[in-house]
PDB file of all heavy atoms in Angstrom:
ATOM      1  N   THR A  26      92.049  52.693  95.085  1.00 88.00           N
ATOM      2  CA  THR A  26      90.868  52.064  94.488  1.00 88.00           C
ATOM      3  C   THR A  26      90.770  50.612  94.932  1.00 88.00           C
ATOM      4  O   THR A  26      89.703  50.154  95.362  1.00 88.00           O
ATOM      5  CB  THR A  26      90.933  52.135  92.949  1.00 88.00           C
ATOM      6  OG1 THR A  26      90.952  53.497  92.544  1.00 88.00           O
ATOM      7  CG2 THR A  26      89.726  51.443  92.332  1.00 88.00           C
ATOM      8  N   PHE A  27      91.881  49.899  94.849  1.00 90.00           N
ATOM      9  CA  PHE A  27      91.891  48.499  95.292  1.00 90.00           C
ATOM     10  C   PHE A  27      91.626  48.399  96.797  1.00 90.00           C
ATOM     11  O   PHE A  27      90.929  47.496  97.259  1.00 90.00           O
ATOM     12  CB  PHE A  27      93.235  47.848  94.949  1.00 90.00           C
ATOM     13  CG  PHE A  27      93.319  47.355  93.533  1.00 90.00           C
ATOM     14  CD1 PHE A  27      93.875  48.139  92.543  1.00 90.00           C
ATOM     15  CD2 PHE A  27      92.837  46.092  93.201  1.00 90.00           C
ATOM     16  CE1 PHE A  27      93.953  47.686  91.234  1.00 90.00           C
ATOM     17  CE2 PHE A  27      92.909  45.633  91.903  1.00 90.00           C
ATOM     18  CZ  PHE A  27      93.470  46.427  90.906  1.00 90.00           C
ATOM     19  N   SER A  56      86.504  38.944  94.915  1.00 94.00           N
ATOM     20  CA  SER A  56      86.941  40.314  94.634  1.00 94.00           C
ATOM     21  C   SER A  56      87.852  40.830  95.737  1.00 94.00           C
ATOM     22  O   SER A  56      88.924  41.394  95.465  1.00 94.00           O
ATOM     23  CB  SER A  56      85.730  41.248  94.494  1.00 94.00           C
ATOM     24  OG  SER A  56      84.930  40.876  93.390  1.00 94.00           O
ATOM     25  N   GLY A 162      70.345  41.492 127.233  1.00 91.00           N
ATOM     26  CA  GLY A 162      69.271  41.137 126.310  1.00 91.00           C
ATOM     27  C   GLY A 162      69.427  41.704 124.911  1.00 91.00           C
ATOM     28  O   GLY A 162      68.658  41.349 124.014  1.00 91.00           O
ATOM     29  N   TRP A 164      71.277  41.483 121.672  1.00 96.00           N
ATOM     30  CA  TRP A 164      72.155  40.502 121.027  1.00 96.00           C
ATOM     31  C   TRP A 164      73.341  41.161 120.346  1.00 96.00           C
ATOM     32  O   TRP A 164      74.436  40.611 120.343  1.00 96.00           O
ATOM     33  CB  TRP A 164      71.357  39.686 120.011  1.00 96.00           C
ATOM     34  CG  TRP A 164      70.323  38.795 120.626  1.00 96.00           C
ATOM     35  CD1 TRP A 164      70.164  38.508 121.946  1.00 96.00           C
ATOM     36  CD2 TRP A 164      69.298  38.076 119.941  1.00 96.00           C
ATOM     37  NE1 TRP A 164      69.102  37.664 122.140  1.00 96.00           N
ATOM     38  CE2 TRP A 164      68.554  37.387 120.926  1.00 96.00           C
ATOM     39  CE3 TRP A 164      68.928  37.956 118.601  1.00 96.00           C
ATOM     40  CZ2 TRP A 164      67.458  36.559 120.599  1.00 96.00           C
ATOM     41  CZ3 TRP A 164      67.849  37.144 118.268  1.00 96.00           C
ATOM     42  CH2 TRP A 164      67.119  36.453 119.255  1.00 96.00           C
ATOM     43  N   PRO A 196     111.060  38.469 106.952  1.00 94.00           N
ATOM     44  CA  PRO A 196     110.489  39.824 106.939  1.00 94.00           C
ATOM     45  C   PRO A 196     109.228  39.919 107.802  1.00 94.00           C
ATOM     46  O   PRO A 196     108.304  39.107 107.662  1.00 94.00           O
ATOM     47  CB  PRO A 196     110.157  40.052 105.457  1.00 94.00           C
ATOM     48  CG  PRO A 196     111.021  39.097 104.705  1.00 94.00           C
ATOM     49  CD  PRO A 196     111.172  37.897 105.591  1.00 94.00           C
ATOM     50  N   GLU A 212      85.703  35.356 109.479  1.00 97.00           N
ATOM     51  CA  GLU A 212      85.363  34.258 110.383  1.00 97.00           C
ATOM     52  C   GLU A 212      85.602  34.603 111.850  1.00 97.00           C
ATOM     53  O   GLU A 212      84.953  34.047 112.730  1.00 97.00           O
ATOM     54  CB  GLU A 212      86.155  32.999 110.015  1.00 97.00           C
ATOM     55  CG  GLU A 212      85.816  32.427 108.642  1.00 97.00           C
ATOM     56  CD  GLU A 212      84.359  31.979 108.515  1.00 97.00           C
ATOM     57  OE1 GLU A 212      83.621  31.981 109.513  1.00 97.00           O
ATOM     58  OE2 GLU A 212      83.961  31.613 107.395  1.00 97.00           O
ATOM     59  N   ARG A 238     111.094  30.256 127.841  1.00 92.00           N
ATOM     60  CA  ARG A 238     110.306  30.703 128.999  1.00 92.00           C
ATOM     61  C   ARG A 238     109.204  29.669 129.217  1.00 92.00           C
ATOM     62  O   ARG A 238     108.105  29.749 128.682  1.00 92.00           O
ATOM     63  CB  ARG A 238     109.749  32.104 128.735  1.00 92.00           C
ATOM     64  CG  ARG A 238     110.873  33.141 128.693  1.00 92.00           C
ATOM     65  CD  ARG A 238     110.442  34.461 128.107  1.00 92.00           C
ATOM     66  NE  ARG A 238     109.386  35.110 128.878  1.00 92.00           N
ATOM     67  CZ  ARG A 238     108.866  36.293 128.576  1.00 92.00           C
ATOM     68  NH1 ARG A 238     109.321  36.944 127.503  1.00 92.00           N
ATOM     69  NH2 ARG A 238     107.906  36.804 129.306  1.00 92.00           N
ATOM     70  N   THR A 252      90.638  26.721 125.208  1.00 96.00           N
ATOM     71  CA  THR A 252      89.683  27.377 124.318  1.00 96.00           C
ATOM     72  C   THR A 252      89.054  26.386 123.353  1.00 96.00           C
ATOM     73  O   THR A 252      87.864  26.455 123.049  1.00 96.00           O
ATOM     74  CB  THR A 252      90.381  28.491 123.510  1.00 96.00           C
ATOM     75  OG1 THR A 252      91.043  29.372 124.412  1.00 96.00           O
ATOM     76  CG2 THR A 252      89.383  29.277 122.676  1.00 96.00           C
ATOM     77  N   TYR A 317      87.695  11.419 104.083  1.00 86.00           N
ATOM     78  CA  TYR A 317      86.489  10.787 104.605  1.00 86.00           C
ATOM     79  C   TYR A 317      85.451  10.570 103.510  1.00 86.00           C
ATOM     80  O   TYR A 317      84.819   9.509 103.444  1.00 86.00           O
ATOM     81  CB  TYR A 317      85.869  11.627 105.726  1.00 86.00           C
ATOM     82  CG  TYR A 317      84.432  11.264 105.984  1.00 86.00           C
ATOM     83  CD1 TYR A 317      84.092  10.048 106.571  1.00 86.00           C
ATOM     84  CD2 TYR A 317      83.396  12.111 105.577  1.00 86.00           C
ATOM     85  CE1 TYR A 317      82.770   9.689 106.767  1.00 86.00           C
ATOM     86  CE2 TYR A 317      82.082  11.769 105.771  1.00 86.00           C
ATOM     87  CZ  TYR A 317      81.764  10.549 106.368  1.00 86.00           C
ATOM     88  OH  TYR A 317      80.455  10.194 106.539  1.00 86.00           O
ATOM     89  N   ALA A 334      79.572   5.913 111.310  1.00 69.00           N
ATOM     90  CA  ALA A 334      79.810   5.473 112.686  1.00 69.00           C
ATOM     91  C   ALA A 334      81.052   4.600 112.785  1.00 69.00           C
ATOM     92  O   ALA A 334      81.697   4.543 113.827  1.00 69.00           O
ATOM     93  CB  ALA A 334      78.594   4.709 113.207  1.00 69.00           C
ATOM     94  N   SER A 347      99.267   9.006 112.182  1.00 95.00           N
ATOM     95  CA  SER A 347      99.962   9.882 111.243  1.00 95.00           C
ATOM     96  C   SER A 347     100.540  11.100 111.953  1.00 95.00           C
ATOM     97  O   SER A 347     101.660  11.546 111.663  1.00 95.00           O
ATOM     98  CB  SER A 347      99.011  10.326 110.128  1.00 95.00           C
ATOM     99  OG  SER A 347      98.504   9.216 109.419  1.00 95.00           O
ATOM    100  N   THR A 365     106.261  22.011 111.719  1.00 97.00           N
ATOM    101  CA  THR A 365     105.735  20.731 112.201  1.00 97.00           C
ATOM    102  C   THR A 365     104.257  20.844 112.552  1.00 97.00           C
ATOM    103  O   THR A 365     103.453  19.970 112.205  1.00 97.00           O
ATOM    104  CB  THR A 365     106.530  20.258 113.434  1.00 97.00           C
ATOM    105  OG1 THR A 365     107.925  20.309 113.154  1.00 97.00           O
ATOM    106  CG2 THR A 365     106.155  18.821 113.786  1.00 97.00           C
ATOM    107  N   TRP A 403      94.150  27.793 100.234  1.00 97.00           N
ATOM    108  CA  TRP A 403      93.002  27.101 100.836  1.00 97.00           C
ATOM    109  C   TRP A 403      92.008  28.110 101.398  1.00 97.00           C
ATOM    110  O   TRP A 403      90.786  27.915 101.328  1.00 97.00           O
ATOM    111  CB  TRP A 403      93.479  26.147 101.931  1.00 97.00           C
ATOM    112  CG  TRP A 403      92.513  25.027 102.213  1.00 97.00           C
ATOM    113  CD1 TRP A 403      91.230  24.891 101.755  1.00 97.00           C
ATOM    114  CD2 TRP A 403      92.765  23.873 103.023  1.00 97.00           C
ATOM    115  NE1 TRP A 403      90.657  23.730 102.222  1.00 97.00           N
ATOM    116  CE2 TRP A 403      91.579  23.083 103.008  1.00 97.00           C
ATOM    117  CE3 TRP A 403      93.857  23.423 103.753  1.00 97.00           C
ATOM    118  CZ2 TRP A 403      91.466  21.879 103.698  1.00 97.00           C
ATOM    119  CZ3 TRP A 403      93.751  22.217 104.444  1.00 97.00           C
ATOM    120  CH2 TRP A 403      92.567  21.458 104.418  1.00 97.00           C
ATOM    121  N   TYR A 414      74.739  26.672 100.858  1.00 85.00           N
ATOM    122  CA  TYR A 414      73.592  27.146 101.634  1.00 85.00           C
ATOM    123  C   TYR A 414      72.478  27.646 100.714  1.00 85.00           C
ATOM    124  O   TYR A 414      72.729  28.277  99.690  1.00 85.00           O
ATOM    125  CB  TYR A 414      74.014  28.281 102.572  1.00 85.00           C
ATOM    126  CG  TYR A 414      74.884  27.837 103.715  1.00 85.00           C
ATOM    127  CD1 TYR A 414      76.270  27.981 103.649  1.00 85.00           C
ATOM    128  CD2 TYR A 414      74.331  27.265 104.858  1.00 85.00           C
ATOM    129  CE1 TYR A 414      77.084  27.578 104.703  1.00 85.00           C
ATOM    130  CE2 TYR A 414      75.138  26.857 105.913  1.00 85.00           C
ATOM    131  CZ  TYR A 414      76.506  27.016 105.824  1.00 85.00           C
ATOM    132  OH  TYR A 414      77.304  26.610 106.858  1.00 85.00           O
ATOM    133  N   TYR A 424      81.242  18.442  93.281  1.00 91.00           N
ATOM    134  CA  TYR A 424      82.242  19.029  92.392  1.00 91.00           C
ATOM    135  C   TYR A 424      82.927  20.229  93.044  1.00 91.00           C
ATOM    136  O   TYR A 424      84.099  20.532  92.758  1.00 91.00           O
ATOM    137  CB  TYR A 424      81.623  19.414  91.043  1.00 91.00           C
ATOM    138  CG  TYR A 424      80.705  20.601  91.044  1.00 91.00           C
ATOM    139  CD1 TYR A 424      81.210  21.899  90.975  1.00 91.00           C
ATOM    140  CD2 TYR A 424      79.319  20.444  91.114  1.00 91.00           C
ATOM    141  CE1 TYR A 424      80.365  23.005  90.983  1.00 91.00           C
ATOM    142  CE2 TYR A 424      78.466  21.538  91.121  1.00 91.00           C
ATOM    143  CZ  TYR A 424      78.996  22.813  91.050  1.00 91.00           C
ATOM    144  OH  TYR A 424      78.163  23.898  91.055  1.00 91.00           O
TER     145      TYR A 424
END
Side-chain angles (χ1 to χ4, degrees):
T26 299
F27 277 95
S56 297
W164 293 350
E212 295 298 353
R238 292 166 62 178
T252 306
Y317 162 70
S347 301
T365 310
W403 203 350
Y414 290 98
Y424 72 83

